[in-house]
Amino acid sequence: MKEWKEVNDTVYKFLVADSAFVKYHNEAGDYFLIHDSIRKELLRLAETWRYGYDDVLSIKEQTSTYKDDSELAEAVSLATPFFASLDSTCISVCDKASILKRYRYFLTTTLSKGINNREDMLRFIRDEDYMFRTFLHHLYEMDDEPLADISRNTEAICRNIFIAAREGRIPSKDAIVYMSMRTVRRLLQNSAECVENINRLEMKGKSQGNAYLWMIIQPFVSIDPFLLATMTPQERSRFEYIVTQLPKSRRFADTFDINLQALNYLLPQQLLKIYVLSV
């Protein structure tokens, strides 16, 4: 897969220069036939073994074109102490209504002030992490809470950060690396909290169970090879915790209303297929 990704990128970049595939239509035809053939073979291979969640993570890591990127590794290393320091701030002791009010006020205020430099970006990441971890403490209570405005305002702030980077107000490398590491951290925090809730609490209904299933497997879908390359040792440990907990017992299968075989083998197989189809 890794060899094909490298060849595929090289050939496609050559062909796409002729966007209508007029000059090299024969070569383009051969390329698409080979591409489809290889993808079908990779999908077939995904069905020939009982792959687990650890296999999905390992395969994505081993086929990442960023695996040996020394420049990216150095940038991640420089940013790691900042993210490691975030856990030193304890979450707030408050009820659901209070954190939602404070979270919404924080996002609205940040949008109003804007993100104008690197310091603003780091302050946003730090303060948002505090709010998000406090929010997750009440995740079980949020099953019927409308949260679209929180998602919308968060997306708007992130968009403004990348606009600031494009305009030169934030170094582009910093924006990409820090925001990527933030995304990985949030996805894994959310997934791990869902695992903890399932281990301790009974789901209120099928809809909550389905929502928890999606949040737990989201890191396997959304953390692409580049994001994987920005994962700190702490986040890697959190990911491995999720990997070991998912197939742990019938409790997870009962929560998600699927049988153990589907949870332990068929779901990882589907996750692997999703990754193959992205190649």
Side-chain angles (χ1 to χ4, degrees), residues 38-243:
I38 289 177
R39 191 158 60 173
K40 286 178 182 177
E41 177 62 11
L42 291 173
L43 287 172
R44 185 192 69 78
L45 290 172
E47 297 177 339
T48 60
W49 192 257
R50 286 189 167 187
Y51 293 105
Y53 298 97
D54 55 339
D55 294 313
V56 177
L57 176 57
S58 177
I59 289 170
K60 290 182 77 169
E61 282 188 321
Q62 294 303 315
T63 57
S64 172
T65 53
Y66 303 98
K67 185 174 181 291
D68 300 316
D69 189 324
S70 58
E71 184 178 356
L72 177 59
E74 181 182 4
V76 169
S77 177
L78 291 173
T80 295
F82 169 79
F83 285 94
S85 72
L86 297 181
D87 288 323
S88 63
T89 303
C90 296
I91 65 173
S92 175
V93 179
C94 61
D95 58 19
K96 181 183 79 169
S98 295
I99 184 55
L100 286 175
K101 182 179 180 180
R102 292 168 60 192
Y103 204 163
R104 288 183 166 110
Y105 177 77
F106 160 70
L107 293 173
T108 302
T109 304
T110 301
L111 267 177
S112 176
K113 292 181 178 179
I115 304 291
N116 299 302
N117 50 51
R118 184 178 184 273
E119 288 68 32
D120 286 347
M121 178 186 71
L122 296 182
R123 187 180 306 110
F124 163 71
I125 293 174
R126 180 179 294 280
D127 293 346
E128 184 208 31
D129 186 82
Y130 167 78
M131 294 290 179
F132 187 65
R133 285 188 291 120
T134 305
F135 167 86
L136 286 180
H137 185 67
H138 298 279
L139 182 63
Y140 184 73
E141 308 167 46
M142 302 287 182
D143 57 304
D144 58 351
E145 188 71 34
L147 302 170
D149 60 319
I150 290 179
S151 299
R152 183 172 59 252
N153 287 341
T154 300
E155 290 170 3
I157 293 169
C158 293
R159 184 167 58 250
N160 289 344
I161 288 174
F162 286 108
I163 290 174
R166 187 180 65 196
E167 294 175 350
R169 288 178 283 135
I170 301 175
S172 296
K173 183 188 292 186
D174 284 348
I176 293 171
V177 171
Y178 277 87
M179 293 301 288
S180 295
M181 295 174 74
R182 164 198 169 272
T183 297
V184 170
R185 180 175 167 85
R186 281 171 59 95
L187 286 170
L188 292 173
Q189 284 174 331
N190 197 25
S191 182
E193 182 65 26
C194 288
V195 169
E196 287 293 311
N197 284 355
I198 290 173
N199 281 332
R200 295 185 296 105
L201 305 166
E202 294 293 333
M203 292 293 100
K204 298 176 183 179
K206 188 173 181 179
S207 60
Q208 188 181 36
N210 289 336
Y212 267 56
L213 174 60
W214 166 242
M215 288 188 287
I216 287 176
I217 68 171
Q218 196 173 15
F220 295 94
V221 178
S222 300
I223 298 181
D224 60 22
F226 180 82
L227 292 179
L228 274 176
T230 67
M231 197 160 50
T232 66
Q234 180 185 17
E235 303 310 336
R236 174 64 194 230
S237 176
R238 187 174 278 137
F239 210 158
E240 289 174 350
Y241 166 73
I242 296 165
V243 164

